[in-house]
Structure formats: C-alpha cells, structure tokens
Amino acid sequence: MNSSFKTLENQINIILAQLPQPNNLIINYEFSLILDKLNIPETAKTACLSIDTAMKHLDRISYYNYDRDAILIGDLLSAHYYQLLSELEDITFHMRMSQTIIKINELKSHIQHSKNDLSDYELYHTIFKIETMVIGTLNDIFNLNQDVSHIYEQIMNQLKVEHLTYLVHHTEDEIRAIIDILQNKQFLMETKI
C-alpha cells in the first residue's frame, strides 16, 4: 500500500511531465499521514489530498504573487481531483465533497472581504472550520468511528504559514501568531472539538 502522499506525488509527476517542474508546489505531508490512518478508500484519500494541494496552491499564488503558470498547475490539480472522483464512482462522496469545497471557499472569501468586521474569535473559529471541514465531511460520509476531535487537534498542530495564505491581509508574522493561538490547548478546549 502506497501512502496517499507518494501516490499523489507520482500522479502529479505524470500530469506535469510536459511542464517545467514547479518549485512552489507543496503537498501537505502531515495531512497525508492523517488521511492514511482513516478507514476510507485509497482513492478518496488521494482525492482529498489532491484538492487540498490544489486549493492551498491557488491560495499561495495570490499571497506570494507566483507567476501565471502557477494558475495552470492549480487548475491541473483541481482537474485531477475530479478525475479521481470519477474513479470512485461514489455520488455521495462527490456531492458532499463538492459542498465542502464550496463552503471552504465561501469561508475564505468571507475572511478576505470582512477583514475589519471579524472579531479575533470569529477569525480563529472560521480558520478552524476551514482547516477541519474535509475531515468532518469524511466522518459524515464514512462514519470513521474514530475520535475526530483528536484528528482536528492534529490538523491544528501541523499548521504552517503556507497552509493559511488565504489570510491575504495578514503578514507572515501575524499568521504565525494566529497559528500559535489555534494550537493553544485552551483554544482547542473552548472549541469543543
């Protein structure tokens, strides 16, 4: 059994074989380890990792002002996600994940357009929702029978600046401070995960 990280990495290498290899494409290894522990189909794990990689890559384009070729790579990764969905032939997974992706993007847009209107509390909890929503959806679909709150805590503990580049109005130092709060045990307890 290949890890979801290695599987996706190999698939991306094939997809991008005709293009110059990007040096700014990051697959979230820590998230792949979380996915690999779940009792769900391997293709579902790779699909989740693929869309996570695509969305985070597209967020980084704006934050770091990557060149226009980076947009094409993000689009190719998104298309790959949909190819994996078709291989799964699971309409419930497809529908629920589509709803989740829409909601994640809505929440990111809300943060970006409501910068001055959000309290710190609202900002932190919105980020928490964005970062944990895929696992919550997988739990709803596959009834994971695991302590999902423990998985949410793992997700928060592995956050890095490059995972939160949808915070376009924040500096890297501000994002690091936000991550410190999100990783704080008191915040996690108050969130009732």
Side-chain angles (χ1 to χ4, degrees), residues 79-118:
H80 182 61
Y81 163 74
Y82 288 104
Q83 178 185 351
L84 291 168
L85 280 185
S86 70
E87 291 174 18
L88 268 174
E89 298 180 357
D90 183 337
I91 192 70
T92 302
F93 182 83
H94 184 190
M95 213 166 51
R96 293 295 309 278
M97 284 301 295
S98 294
Q99 292 166 343
T100 297
I101 292 164
I102 290 168
K103 185 63 179 170
I104 287 170
N105 286 325
E106 286 173 354
L107 290 171
K108 288 178 182 179
S109 180
H110 178 66
I111 285 174
Q112 292 169 0
H113 293 22
S114 304
K115 178 190 183 288
N116 298 325
D117 298 331
L118 288 176

Side-chain angles (χ1 to χ4, degrees), residues 7-190:
T7 299
L8 182 60
E9 185 178 55
N10 291 338
Q11 291 170 351
I12 288 173
N13 287 336
I14 291 167
I15 293 167
L16 302 180
Q18 303 302 319
L19 299 171
Q21 290 300 304
N23 58 2
N24 53 16
L25 182 62
I26 301 169
I27 303 170
N28 187 340
Y29 180 72
E30 291 85 4
F31 187 55
S32 75
L33 295 176
I34 291 169
L35 290 169
D36 288 341
K37 292 177 185 174
L38 303 179
N39 186 22
I40 64 175
E42 296 299 318
T43 303
K45 294 175 188 180
T46 307
C48 289
L49 189 58
S50 178
I51 197 63
D52 178 76
T53 303
M55 290 192 307
K56 285 183 168 62
H57 180 74
L58 291 169
D59 290 339
R60 284 191 297 275
I61 290 170
S62 297
Y63 193 85
Y64 293 117
N65 296 314
Y66 289 163
D67 62 29
R68 298 186 71 174
D69 289 343
I71 295 170
L72 171 63
I73 292 167
D75 289 344
L76 287 170
L77 287 170
S78 294
H80 182 61
Y81 163 74
Y82 288 104
Q83 178 185 351
L84 291 168
L85 280 185
S86 70
E87 291 174 18
L88 268 174
E89 298 180 357
D90 183 337
I91 192 70
T92 302
F93 182 83
H94 184 190
M95 213 166 51
R96 293 295 309 278
M97 284 301 295
S98 294
Q99 292 166 343
T100 297
I101 292 164
I102 290 168
K103 185 63 179 170
I104 287 170
N105 286 325
E106 286 173 354
L107 290 171
K108 288 178 182 179
S109 180
H110 178 66
I111 285 174
Q112 292 169 0
H113 293 22
S114 304
K115 178 190 183 288
N116 298 325
D117 298 331
L118 288 176
S119 69
D120 289 345
Y121 177 88
E122 291 169 315
L123 176 66
Y124 304 145
H125 284 274
T126 303
I127 294 168
F128 181 85
K129 284 181 198 174
I130 290 168
E131 297 302 319
T132 60
M133 199 172 288
V134 167
I135 294 296
T137 300
L138 291 175
N139 186 43
D140 291 345
I141 296 168
F142 295 107
N143 194 17
L144 299 177
N145 295 323
Q146 290 180 279
D147 181 5
V148 178
S149 63
H150 177 67
I151 297 172
Y152 290 167
E153 186 175 344
Q154 287 179 302
I155 291 169
M156 291 297 103
N157 286 333
Q158 57 89 29
L159 283 179
K160 298 176 185 162
V161 169
E162 62 263 19
H163 300 152
L164 303 181
T165 52
Y166 52 86
L167 301 175
V168 294
H169 300 296
H170 294 79
T171 66
E172 287 189 12
D173 286 340
E174 290 170 334
I175 294 174
R176 281 188 198 91
I178 290 168
I179 289 171
D180 286 344
I181 290 165
L182 292 171
Q183 293 175 340
N184 181 291
K185 295 284 184 200
Q186 186 64 36
F187 170 81
L188 293 170
M189 287 175 24
E190 289 172 4

